[in-house]
Amino acid sequence: EDEDEDEDGRERAERLAAVVNCYDVAALSASATRASSYVREELAGMTTAQKMIFMDALSSTGIENAWTIAGEGYALTRAERAASAGSTKDFHAANEILGDDDANARGDGVRVFEGRVAKLPTKFLNRFAKAFYVDEDDDPMRSAASRRFLGRAPIKKGPLDALLPLYFASNDFTDDSVTIPGTGERADLSLDYRDVPVLATRRPLASRAGGVSWPAPRLALYPFDALVDYIRPLAPGVLVGRGYRFKADVPRRFLDFVLVRRE
């Protein structure tokens, strides 16, 4: 019976990925929010393992389509998006990162997502992770503390991981949304890798917090030196992103990816 349930779950996840892979804007133009609501509701009913299967089954085109589908959700309010996913919580990328335990995620404050990049051919090349933790700026000159995510994107390539620590800093996630310069597209969060966005003293205290390493921050190497990622929520525990390289403040699309939160 358990094997039958596992197989049913796999088929459900792969079926949904096939829908996203074949998504056609024109086919669903009669209802701008239909695809986003359908995908969100289907993923909301899946286990983490099934969401991972969904991620694995997405094609590169499917990952790009997921960004578009998540964007359609902005036609609904955050409360309406949450309701369609069966939640009373605002449906926002920050809340999907924070999860149910804002105060003490994983016991060390770190939330980790598995990721997959579009248009890279093998699991060795296209797999990575993103690890997030909350940084609060309680500057007394502010009326309210600023809250943002700091973190890094482990590339899972052995010694190269320390050479490319890829630290990032988000915008204040209490903001409702951000706008991508030059495109006018909306996203919930931006993750900026430029310069050295995380001081060594702002890293997690534990060397393996969240199950990932926290090497010394350093300037990102090309092509990540000018990178800013933009994040949209696709479903509970599932995010999609689009990265842009900024040269002379002109954004050039660089990569698309999908993220699934670890258990």
Side-chain angles (χ1 to χ4, degrees), residues 55 70 83-84 97 113-114 119 122 162 165 176 179 211-213 224 252:
M55 178 173 69
S84 73
I97 294 169
F113 284 68
E114 296 295 329
K119 296 184 176 177
T122 68
D176 184 64
T179 301
V212 301
S213 63
F224 306 103
R252 294 184 180 276

Side-chain angles (χ1 to χ4, degrees), residues 95-216:
N95 286 331
E96 297 313 315
I97 294 169
L98 292 171
D100 296 327
D101 187 0
D102 187 353
N104 195 31
R106 290 182 60 86
D108 52 27
V110 175
R111 293 87 171 163
V112 181
F113 284 68
E114 296 295 329
R116 179 162 171 249
V117 181
K119 296 184 176 177
L120 290 177
T122 68
K123 284 189 175 182
F124 176 75
L125 292 174
N126 66 26
R127 298 311 169 96
F128 69 103
K130 281 193 191 294
F132 300 82
Y133 58 96
V134 175
D135 180 70
E136 294 196 7
D137 178 5
D138 55 357
D139 186 334
M141 299 301 292
R142 293 177 179 269
S143 58
S146 170
R147 302 185 79 205
R148 62 176 181 164
F149 292 114
L150 299 180
R152 63 174 298 250
I155 60 173
K156 299 185 172 184
K157 305 295 181 290
L160 286 177
D161 196 49
L163 294 174
L164 283 171
L166 296 180
Y167 281 91
F168 57 77
S170 82
N171 60 300
D172 184 341
F173 62 71
T174 59
D175 295 339
D176 184 64
S177 63
V178 296
T179 301
I180 302 175
T183 73
E185 289 184 288
R186 179 177 170 180
D188 282 9
L189 294 171
S190 64
L191 307 179
D192 195 333
Y193 297 79
R194 295 172 294 181
D195 300 320
V196 183
V198 177
L199 298 176
T201 56
R202 305 297 284 186
R203 289 179 294 173
L205 294 177
S207 62
R208 293 288 300 177
V212 301
S213 63
W214 298 93

